[in-house]
């Protein structure tokens, strides 16, 4: 299995390096359109559940969590008429992650920010904490062209938020939920679900795990790992080193370093926001996410040329 993972990784690199600027530009443009259509479905499904609609069908995810189809979107979360839409994905964080990476790609290619704002504002419906953080980073980067404009933008944003949260509606529910995730409870943020996972991953680290990974069966996925008695350690900076060992996880840590270096070099808050996303979701080696992530990494290598040509 580890051999297949490495082959997949190098095959992606080989394919992406054959792309030119126009190929990737078209890919991002088509992807943005697809995600807008998904977000429309998410909004319809969210409103459907908000007004009492129930799941049309239900089934367990690979990790055992229940998932349901709410008219036009899946959701693995449902409580008091509130869902976290995930479109076609198994959980809302996955959709949010892809929306943020697509937005970052659009920014690297100097594409129309109106579409980027649609993706980010629409993505708030996932109720993701990471999405909210990325949204703020994007907002600061795009609005801080001058101190005066930034100050006006802050005042305008506060006014809009006050109005939206004063009117009882699905929008106020979304905003209220997101803000509540940043409330400090017992010394940590209410939306912090990563700290226990980091501790879990750290507890598994020893010399054998550092070099070769925890267990070959875990590479097959969470169910295979859980049946052997291992607790959850996913979705944090230590996940891949516990999962694969240092040798197979080098692409992830090298990518993290490269993105952090680029964010510092270009003083780019959006690139730094991608770095933060990958700390929370180390999807470099995941089949469903590695292609878009390596396209983003590749785009950073000719970012200067793109800006000059466009």
């Amino acid at each position: 299995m580890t051999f297949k993972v490495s082959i997949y990784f190098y095959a992606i690199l080989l394919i992406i390096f054959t792309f030119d600027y126009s190929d990737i530009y078209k890919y991002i443009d088509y992807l943005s359109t697809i995600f807008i259509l998904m977000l429309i479905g998410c909004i319809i499904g969210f409103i459907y559940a908000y007004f009492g609609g129930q799941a049309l069908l239900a089934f367990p995810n690979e990790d055992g969590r229940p998932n349901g189809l709410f008219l036009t979107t899946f959701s693995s979360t449902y409580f008091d008429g509130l869902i976290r839409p995930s479109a076609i994905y198994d959980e809302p964080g996955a959709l949010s992650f892809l929306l943020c990476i697509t937005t970052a790609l659009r920014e690297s290619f100097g594409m129309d920010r109106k579409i980027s704002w649609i993706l980010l504002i629409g993505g708030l419906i996932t109720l993701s904490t990471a999405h909210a953080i990325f949204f703020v980073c994007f907002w600061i980067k795009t609005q801080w062209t001058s101190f005066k404009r930034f100050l006006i933008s802050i005042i305008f944003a506060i006014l809009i938020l006050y109005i939206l949260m004063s009117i009882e509606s699905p929008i106020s529910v979304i905003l209220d939920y997101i803000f509540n995730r940043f409330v400090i409870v017992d010394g940590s943020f209410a939306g912090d679900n990563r700290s226990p996972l980091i501790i879990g991953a750290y507890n598994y680290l020893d010399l054998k795990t550092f070099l070769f990974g925890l267990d070959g069966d875990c590479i097959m996925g969470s169910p295979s790992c859980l049946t052997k008695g291992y607790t959850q350690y996913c979705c944090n900076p230590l996940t891949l080193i516990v999962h694969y060992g240092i040798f197979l996880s080098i692409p992830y840590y090298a990518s993290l370093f490269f993105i952090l270096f680029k964010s510092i070099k270009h003083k780019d808050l959006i690139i730094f926001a991608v770095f933060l996303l990958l700390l929370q979701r180390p999807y470099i080696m995941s089949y469903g996410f590695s292609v878009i992530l390596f396209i983003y990494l590749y785009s950073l290598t000719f970012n200067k040329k793109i800006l000059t040509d466009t």
Side-chain angles (χ1 to χ4, degrees), residues 2-287:
T2 55
F3 177 74
K4 291 181 180 178
V5 170
S6 59
I7 289 295
Y8 180 74
F9 163 68
Y10 289 114
I12 289 173
L13 285 180
L14 181 62
I15 292 170
I16 290 175
F17 285 151
T18 64
F19 290 172
D20 59 21
Y21 171 82
S22 61
D23 293 329
I24 300 178
Y25 192 97
K26 290 177 183 177
Y27 168 81
I28 301 168
D29 198 31
Y30 293 146
L31 195 63
S32 300
T33 302
I34 292 171
F35 279 135
I36 288 174
L37 294 175
M38 286 187 188
L39 286 173
I40 292 172
C42 287
I43 293 169
I44 294 171
F46 184 90
I47 295 174
Y48 166 78
Y50 179 79
F51 287 105
Q54 300 296 311
L56 302 180
L57 60 90
F59 55 91
N61 280 338
E62 183 188 22
D63 58 8
R65 290 181 299 172
N67 204 341
L69 175 63
F70 291 85
L71 205 62
T72 52
T73 180
F74 289 105
S75 176
S76 58
T77 304
Y78 178 81
F79 51 90
D80 296 331
L82 183 66
I83 65 170
R84 296 182 60 194
S86 57
I88 62 172
Y89 302 99
D90 64 336
E91 55 104 13
L95 173 61
S96 166
F97 181 86
L98 289 170
L99 290 171
C100 292
I101 297 300
T102 302
T103 301
L105 271 168
R106 294 184 61 85
E107 191 67 15
S108 287
F109 278 71
M111 299 174 76
D112 185 2
R113 281 181 176 164
K114 291 179 183 178
I115 302 298
S116 298
W117 280 116
I118 290 173
L119 294 175
L120 286 183
I121 293 173
L124 291 173
I125 203 169
T126 63
L127 308 180
S128 165
T129 304
H131 192 95
I133 293 172
F134 187 94
F135 182 95
V136 171
C137 290
F138 185 86
W139 175 67
I140 294 174
K141 163 71 187 310
T142 56
Q143 299 303 307
W144 199 305
T145 53
S146 68
F147 180 75
K148 180 180 178 181
R149 176 177 174 176
F150 184 66
L151 188 61
I152 293 173
S153 181
I154 290 177
I155 296 172
F156 182 73
I158 292 174
L159 180 62
I160 293 296
L161 286 173
Y162 178 78
I163 294 172
L164 291 175
M165 295 186 72
S166 299
I167 303 171
E168 187 175 349
S169 68
I171 295 177
S172 66
V173 171
I174 292 171
L175 294 174
D176 186 59
Y177 183 93
I178 291 173
F179 282 121
N180 283 338
R181 301 201 79 181
F182 291 94
V183 173
I184 297 177
V185 179
D186 297 329
S188 63
F189 290 113
D192 176 22
N193 55 7
R194 288 302 187 270
S195 294
L197 297 174
I198 293 174
I199 294 171
Y202 177 77
N203 289 336
Y204 282 126
L205 273 180
D206 55 25
L207 183 59
K208 178 259 180 187
T209 302
F210 178 82
L211 293 176
F212 306 110
L214 181 63
D215 190 315
D217 289 337
C218 290
I219 297 177
M220 298 298 293
S222 296
S224 302
C225 204
L226 292 174
T227 55
K228 303 193 80 171
Y230 297 116
T231 58
Q232 288 279 10
Y233 59 86
C234 78
C235 312
N236 69 80
L238 298 178
T239 295
L240 292 192
I241 200 167
V242 173
H243 213 50
Y244 300 116
I246 186 61
F247 300 110
L248 280 178
S249 59
I250 283 176
Y252 168 64
Y253 295 105
S255 300
L256 273 184
F257 176 80
F258 176 71
I259 292 172
L260 180 61
F261 170 76
K262 284 290 186 178
S263 70
I264 295 172
K265 180 180 178 181
H266 298 298
K267 299 181 177 63
D268 194 310
L269 197 56
I270 296 175
I271 300 177
F272 182 71
V274 173
F275 169 78
L276 294 179
L277 279 178
L278 286 176
L279 288 179
Q280 186 214 28
R281 294 184 176 275
Y283 285 161
I284 285 288
M285 306 292 286
S286 299
Y287 287 112

